[in-house]
Amino acid sequence: MKTFGWLGGVALLLFLAGCRYTFLPLDPGKPLPLERPFVVARLEKGSEEAFLVLRVERLPSPGYLHLKWFREEALLQEKALFLEEPGSYRVSFPLSQGYHRLVGLWAGGVLFQLDLGTPRLPDPDEEEEKGNGQEG
């Protein structure tokens, strides 16, 4: 009789483990609000300048958006834009020949990266002098 009771308990536990709602409380409640802003960013190319067109859709709290403007690998300019509320913003950066990249940072993390031009990449068919797997 004890064996049937024990087996019945194990079967009940297996049945409950297979149920869809096995967490407590059954209603997890409302999710926490997101802590990152939601932005729509675009780079527009002018004759001598590039323009960041930024639309902030959701902003959990006011803060600084740090903008870093690169040409190839070199950092050309840094700007900080204080965002208080959702809205539209426009920022200009100097533009010259070559590949440019704009990185937007919020609270120490990357929020977006925008590119203009084509990066210089090594030719995949060209053999490197070092590191091609040959010793000696």
Side-chain angles (χ1 to χ4, degrees):
M1 190 67 163
K2 281 186 176 183
T3 308
F4 289 118
W6 195 81
L7 286 174
V10 170
L12 181 65
L13 283 175
L14 288 174
F15 175 74
L16 289 177
C19 288
R20 185 173 177 190
Y21 300 106
T22 56
F23 56 87
L24 292 175
L26 295 178
D27 180 14
K30 188 176 179 182
L32 295 173
L34 297 175
E35 295 190 15
R36 288 176 52 128
F38 179 74
V39 300
V40 178
R42 184 177 75 239
L43 268 179
E44 292 179 351
K45 187 176 182 178
S47 60
E48 295 179 7
E49 289 182 318
F51 299 97
L52 168 66
V53 179
L54 182 73
R55 191 174 75 235
V56 179
E57 298 287 333
R58 180 184 64 233
L59 190 63
S61 63
Y64 282 97
L65 174 66
H66 297 277
L67 303 169
K68 294 189 178 200
W69 181 244
F70 294 88
R71 181 175 183 268
E72 302 295 339
E73 296 88 22
L75 178 64
L76 292 181
Q77 198 172 38
E78 290 185 74
K79 292 185 178 184
L81 185 62
F82 187 72
L83 305 177
E84 284 188 274
E85 59 186 25
S88 295
Y89 301 88
R90 188 174 174 95
V91 183
S92 64
F93 295 95
L95 185 63
S96 57
Q97 293 293 329
Y99 172 68
H100 291 80
R101 182 177 70 240
L102 177 66
V103 179
L105 303 162
W106 179 266
V110 175
L111 188 60
F112 61 83
Q113 175 178 323
L114 304 170
D115 301 321
L116 273 180
T118 305
R120 288 187 311 189
L121 299 174
D123 186 8
D125 296 330
E126 186 177 310
E127 240 183 84
E128 292 184 21
E129 291 180 21
K130 295 182 180 179
N132 60 1
Q134 297 177 359
E135 302 234 355

